[in-house]
Amino acid sequence: MSDEKKHLIIFTTTDGKISVNAHFDTDTAWLSLDQMAELFGRDKSTISRHIKNLFDEGELQRNAVVANFATTAADNKKKDAGSALEYGK
């Protein structure tokens, strides 16, 4: 993601039960599988299966919508950049 156009948007339902932090880069929202599962109220495996189908059917190109992001563990140590895939567009 470009540092110039990076934003963090927090989506919260009106009842406050679901809150998702989405990274925005220009016109692209980036969400992890966990975030999408929470947003849509589905199991992570369901989201993963749907994404796989989108790739298999050629509706989305993996290199255009998947990015590796470094994440920080609870002890503030960085995890490997490849440990967190996020999906956007």
Side-chain angles (χ1 to χ4, degrees):
M1 281 193 306
S2 154
D3 287 335
E4 297 173 13
K5 300 278 186 176
K6 230 186 310 187
H7 301 284
L8 175 67
I9 305 294
I10 301 171
F11 294 99
T12 306
T13 56
T14 54
D15 61 8
K17 291 183 179 179
I18 297 175
S19 180
V20 175
N21 299 338
H23 300 272
F24 276 85
D25 181 11
T26 310
D27 63 348
T28 302
W30 294 95
L31 297 168
S32 68
L33 281 175
D34 288 330
Q35 290 171 312
M36 285 188 272
E38 182 165 354
L39 181 65
F40 294 110
R42 297 289 184 249
D43 187 77
K44 201 164 95 169
S45 64
T46 301
I47 301 297
S48 181
R49 188 172 54 251
H50 284 287
I51 291 171
K52 181 185 179 309
N53 289 340
L54 291 170
F55 294 146
D56 289 349
E57 294 171 7
E59 194 169 331
L60 293 175
Q61 298 301 313
R62 185 175 182 81
N63 61 349
V65 297
V66 178
N68 292 323
F69 287 89
T71 58
T72 304
D75 60 3
N76 287 332
K77 293 180 182 175
K78 288 265 186 191
K79 293 181 181 179
D80 292 336
S83 64
L85 291 179
E86 293 199 9
Y87 302 86
K89 272 295 176 207

